[in-house]
Amino acid sequence: NLSYPPPDLIQHLIKLFKGGDPDFVVKKRCIVLYTLIDAFATTDIHHNVLEDSNVAMFCDQFMIPESHQKLVYGFWLLDKQHFLPAVGYLTDPNLSGLFQDWSRKILRTFYDFRIFDCALKFIRVKNPSLPTIEDVVVQMKILLHCGL
C-alpha cells in the first residue's frame, strides 16, 4: 500500500538537503536563499533584504558564506532589472572566482538591456573571459558605446 506523499517525505528531504558534496550543499542552500529573498523583498530598492531578520537567520543557521549571500542577492537584483545595485554586488572583490561561468551571461544581460555603464564597470572589475567571437564583439560594442 503506497501513499503519496510518503509519510517520511520530510525526513528524506532533510537527508537530501544536508547530504552530499559540501560545495553542492551550499549551492542548494543558495537556491533556498534566492526564494527567501524573493519572498521577503519589498518594493523599496534601497532596502537590503539580506538584513531582513528571517533571511539573516536562515543564512546564519545554514552557514551561507557572506560572499555567497552577496552573489545570490546580486543575481536576484539582476533578475529584477535593478541593474545599478546588481553590478555593485556582482563586482564585489570578495566574489572572485565564484561565478566565472556566469560572467559572460551577466555581461550579455547588461548589453541586451543597453545598460552600458554597468557593463563597463563589470568588464573593468571582473575582466570576463571571451571564449567566442560573439563575446569579443559584445565587449567591443560596449567599449565603443562608452567612448573607449
Side-chain angles (χ1 to χ4, degrees), residues 97-121:
L98 281 181
F99 62 103
Q100 292 295 341
D101 297 343
W102 287 90
S103 293
R104 294 171 46 231
K105 294 174 184 164
I106 293 167
L107 188 59
R108 184 63 194 228
T109 300
F110 289 136
Y111 174 77
D112 288 345
F113 279 91
R114 303 185 58 78
I115 312 297
F116 298 113
D117 55 335
C118 291
L120 182 60
K121 180 177 181 178

Side-chain angles (χ1 to χ4, degrees), residues 7 17 27 35 39 47-48 52 61 67 71 74 76 89 116 120 122 129 131 134 147:
F17 191 78
K27 289 177 183 176
T35 305
H47 169 72
N48 182 345
D52 180 274
Q61 291 290 316
S67 58
L71 180 63
W76 183 86
Y89 279 92
F116 298 113
L120 182 60
F122 192 80
S129 63
E134 182 183 351

Side-chain angles (χ1 to χ4, degrees), residues 21-136:
D21 175 36
D23 190 45
F24 188 64
V25 171
V26 172
K27 289 177 183 176
K28 289 188 284 188
R29 291 175 181 174
C30 285
I31 292 169
V32 175
L33 174 59
Y34 185 99
T35 305
L36 285 175
I37 290 171
D38 213 33
F40 290 103
T42 67
T43 55
D44 178 10
I45 190 58
H46 301 293
H47 169 72
N48 182 345
V49 75
L50 292 176
E51 296 170 356
D52 180 274
S53 61
N54 294 302
V55 174
M57 183 175 64
F58 176 81
C59 292
D60 289 342
Q61 291 290 316
F62 287 98
M63 298 178 287
I64 298 175
E66 185 178 345
S67 58
H68 286 69
Q69 294 175 41
K70 289 180 178 179
L71 180 63
V72 170
Y73 192 45
F75 279 131
W76 183 86
L77 288 165
L78 191 65
D79 288 345
K80 302 302 178 192
Q81 299 180 12
H82 299 301
F83 298 112
L84 195 56
V87 78
Y89 279 92
L90 295 173
T91 56
D92 186 296
N94 296 321
L95 302 184
S96 63
L98 281 181
F99 62 103
Q100 292 295 341
D101 297 343
W102 287 90
S103 293
R104 294 171 46 231
K105 294 174 184 164
I106 293 167
L107 188 59
R108 184 63 194 228
T109 300
F110 289 136
Y111 174 77
D112 288 345
F113 279 91
R114 303 185 58 78
I115 312 297
F116 298 113
D117 55 335
C118 291
L120 182 60
K121 180 177 181 178
F122 192 80
I123 289 168
R124 287 184 167 162
V125 174
K126 289 301 180 181
N127 194 22
S129 63
L130 305 170
T132 69
I133 295 296
E134 182 183 351
D135 295 329
V136 173

